[in-house]
Amino acid sequence: MDASQVVEEPFPAQSKVATGSVDGIPTEASVLHFSDKILITLSQEGRLSQWIQVPLSAPSSATVDMALSNPSLLPMSHLTPKTLLGGGGEERESLAQLYAVQIASHIARRNPDEQRTLVVGLGLKTLKPDREAFFDVIELIQKVL
């Protein structure tokens, strides 16, 4: 294709990137908003090793739960994560799903009408049940949302 025919346009999906530290390691978080999905990645040293999806649409029985304003850090009960790729063992997979559900809960509480599916790509060097690292992740994700 001739260079004169190339038209540079911004990427059509809204996006945002932020950097921070998780467990003392430089970490990059990004979000891409597509019409049917919200894609969030959390990467250390350029890695992405686990992919989890969480549908944000709620069955009608969960609408009461969503209607109540609950700023707690507990995940919403109607959200069901599913690992798409990666795993790394039962404990690592469970923690990754907890992170994904927590992110989904934050999105659903912020916008109760959100119906898209959240896809989370995690590439944390170590994923451990550590309170400080958990709050580092949540704080970094909030910067991109």
Side-chain angles (χ1 to χ4, degrees), residues 57-69:
S57 58
S60 59
S61 62
T63 54
V64 172
D65 178 36
M66 291 177 60
L68 299 173
S69 177

Side-chain angles (χ1 to χ4, degrees), residues 10-144:
F11 193 72
Q14 178 188 357
S15 65
K16 190 171 182 181
V17 176
T19 57
S21 178
V22 173
D23 204 22
I25 301 170
T27 307
E28 181 178 281
S30 68
V31 64
L32 284 166
H33 296 273
F34 295 99
S35 62
D36 62 338
K37 302 224 182 342
I38 300 170
L39 174 67
I40 293 179
T41 61
L42 196 62
S43 177
Q44 292 176 332
E45 301 174 356
R47 78 179 80 214
L48 284 171
S49 58
Q50 291 176 284
W51 292 89
I52 297 122
Q53 79 172 9
V54 184
L56 296 175
S57 58
S60 59
S61 62
T63 54
V64 172
D65 178 36
M66 291 177 60
L68 299 173
S69 177
N70 183 1
S72 88
L73 285 176
L74 293 175
M76 298 177 90
S77 59
H78 73 279
L79 298 172
T80 53
K82 178 181 178 185
T83 300
L84 299 175
L85 295 169
E90 188 175 323
E91 183 179 351
R92 186 173 177 92
E93 185 173 355
S94 295
L95 281 170
Q97 288 184 355
L98 173 66
Y99 278 50
V101 167
Q102 191 64 47
I103 294 165
S105 294
H106 178 75
I107 293 169
R109 283 190 180 101
R110 201 178 71 181
N111 183 3
D113 297 327
E114 184 62 70
Q115 297 293 310
R116 294 178 283 183
T117 297
L118 172 66
V119 178
V120 178
L122 291 176
L124 300 176
K125 188 173 184 177
T126 57
L127 193 59
K128 54 188 174 188
D130 178 65
R131 179 182 173 97
E132 193 66 33
F134 177 79
F135 285 116
D136 287 347
V137 167
I138 299 306
E139 184 180 320
L140 184 55
I141 292 299
Q142 288 176 345
K143 288 181 183 178
V144 295

